Amino acid sequence: MEIMALVVGATGIAGRGVSQELVDRGARVYGLSRKPEGLARGVTHVAADLMNAESVNKAVAGLKPTHIYFTMWSRQANEEDNIKVNAGAVRTLLNAVAPARSVLHVALVTGLKHYLGPFDAYLRAGTLPLMPVREEQPRLDIPNFYYAQEDEVYAAAARDGFTWSVHRPHTIIGKAIGNAMNMGSTLAAYASLCKETGRKFKFPGSAAQWNGLSDMTDSRILGKQLAWASTHDFAKNNAYNIVNGDIFRWNWMWPRMARWFGVEWEGFTGEVTPLAAQMADDAKVWKRMVEKHQLIEPDLSRVASPWHTDLDLSRPIEVMTDMTASRKRGFAVYQNTEEAFHDLFAELRADKIIP
């Protein structure tokens, strides 16, 4: 099948992952984002502001995408605004491409908040779904912008006749500088700061996360599942969890991560010690490091997103993911999580993002 793909949010972690996978498969790939910086190689930039319908309509005029991969979201102050803005972005994009009548499939990337609830819900007390989470579990009876995004896709599919897939990764490992949700580069920046200043690489999260089982999603394996589900008839019109395929405990991963950077580590000591507080005064240190090591990104906030890493690692519950839905249909790709982190760290170092 000849694919003309439109990747929405192409400079983000998920967008870069699927863009590169599609390019490698020989697809023609257009990447929609505000700016072209950070696009995967081989992707043609389409400039648009998804909060502005006129901007989107103008950007996609003349394009006839066969496949759309919607991989972005915009963080708002509360869930009501998250729903309004993020469901609205999906609706705006799908309305804009509808007149061309070219779309065969739409893939939507959401995440495990589908099962846990919004950030503020699980941060307060932890919603307690059965673990591991499974695609068959019903929606929670609370507002959730993921549900609203899905409903926009379902409504447009019924109207325009395309197939769909929904993809629910756990925390994604991948390169995307300036991304609002990036644990991998956040931990890389934090470890680099610890090495520079002689501080301990201190685990910031909860006892449940330190001792419990967990899993994660490499952006490359997410890209492979997106391409798989959008090009096989037997995989379409389904929702899929997607993780690397292994499980680990942070009390095992943390010291191994510290060893990669050559820093002294400290595990959970009885209380949560958020990265946001630990890194609060590090912007000036980072600028000195940039000059000293000739790094290319002087703004620490574009490399690290402590708030998001804190939310994930402070969960009062362990979180694991079942992948039965796609495994039964033949998707058997695997990625070792420790190696995924190491690959990212090596790439960040090679690209002079970290020293």
Side-chain angles (χ1 to χ4, degrees):
M1 175 190 297
E2 185 174 349
I3 295 176
M4 179 180 285
L6 178 62
V7 179
V8 183
T11 57
I13 299 178
R16 281 176 53 87
V18 69
S19 293
Q20 196 60 66
E21 176 66 22
L22 291 166
V23 168
D24 291 346
R25 288 175 174 232
R28 186 173 182 181
V29 183
Y30 292 88
L32 190 150
S33 62
R34 292 184 181 183
K35 298 179 180 179
E37 290 80 12
L39 285 174
R41 59 175 173 79
V43 176
T44 301
H45 186 238
V46 177
D49 178 0
L50 280 167
M51 306 302 114
N52 185 313
E54 183 178 353
S55 170
V56 176
N57 289 336
K58 182 178 179 180
V60 303
L63 291 182
K64 294 185 177 181
T66 59
H67 292 66
I68 293 175
Y69 302 87
F70 201 98
T71 69
M72 64 77 61
W73 78 288
S74 176
R75 186 189 183 200
Q76 304 299 310
N78 54 63
E79 198 60 18
E80 181 181 359
D81 288 343
N82 275 332
I83 291 169
K84 179 180 179 181
V85 169
N86 291 288
V90 174
R91 182 169 59 253
T92 295
L93 188 281
L94 295 183
N95 285 345
V97 297
R101 302 190 65 81
S102 61
V103 178
L104 302 176
H105 187 89
V106 172
L108 171 68
V109 176
T110 60
L112 292 198
K113 292 190 295 296
H114 182 94
Y115 309 106
L116 302 176
F119 283 129
D120 57 353
Y122 70 68
L123 183 62
R124 282 195 305 268
T127 304
L128 298 174
L130 292 173
M131 293 294 165
V133 293
R134 303 175 186 274
E135 295 95 340
E136 66 195 40
Q137 291 173 212
R139 291 180 174 183
L140 301 173
D141 189 22
I142 55 176
N144 190 323
F145 79 88
Y146 284 169
Y147 305 160
Q149 286 186 309
E150 286 183 356
D151 289 342
E152 292 293 342
V153 172
Y154 301 154
R159 178 192 69 197
D160 298 334
F162 56 74
T163 56
W164 56 268
S165 57
V166 175
H167 304 262
R168 299 168 185 159
H170 199 164
T171 302
I172 305 174
I173 304 168
K175 182 188 173 187
I177 303 305
N179 192 272
M181 298 167 60
N182 196 332
M183 180 186 287
S185 66
T186 298
L187 294 179
Y190 173 52
S192 300
L193 284 158
C194 289
K195 187 170 185 178
E196 187 76 15
T197 60
R199 287 148 47 188
K200 288 185 178 180
F201 185 58
K202 189 172 183 178
F203 183 73
S206 67
Q209 288 294 301
W210 180 250
N211 296 310
L213 292 169
S214 189
D215 49 30
M216 296 188 74
T217 307
D218 189 298
S219 62
R220 296 168 295 187
I221 206 169
L222 173 58
K224 291 181 184 299
Q225 194 196 58
L226 284 158
W228 167 82
S230 64
T231 55
H232 291 85
D233 288 342
F234 58 81
K236 296 173 181 176
N237 299 332
N238 281 287
Y240 298 108
N241 293 336
I242 173 63
V243 285
N244 291 336
D246 61 356
I247 56 176
F248 65 92
R249 300 181 196 273
W250 279 106
N251 61 22
W252 176 87
M253 183 71 77
W254 199 254
R256 299 171 79 88
M257 197 174 285
R259 187 166 63 225
W260 197 94
F261 285 97
V263 295
E264 186 178 354
W265 64 275
E266 183 176 295
F268 180 75
T269 57
E271 62 180 2
V272 174
T273 55
L275 281 182
Q278 292 190 54
M279 300 175 69
D281 299 321
D282 281 339
K284 292 181 180 179
V285 179
W286 185 260
K287 287 185 178 179
R288 293 198 297 270
M289 290 170 59
V290 167
E291 184 175 349
K292 176 181 177 181
H293 300 286
Q294 297 183 314
L295 307 180
I296 65 170
E297 181 49 70
D299 186 351
L300 178 59
S301 69
R302 285 181 47 79
V303 181
S305 51
W307 71 271
H308 172 253
T309 299
D310 284 339
L311 286 170
D312 273 9
L313 294 183
S314 65
R315 289 170 179 160
I317 55 175
E318 69 175 9
V319 179
M320 291 181 293
T321 312
D322 180 84
M323 283 185 59
T324 295
S326 58
R327 295 296 194 224
K328 288 175 67 175
R329 291 172 174 83
F331 183 80
V333 183
Y334 166 86
Q335 170 64 54
N336 178 276
T337 297
E338 183 184 15
E339 292 175 1
F341 273 122
H342 290 178
D343 288 349
L344 172 63
F345 298 156
E347 183 179 9
L348 293 173
R349 182 166 285 174
D351 292 345
K352 303 294 286 185
I353 305 297
I354 61 171

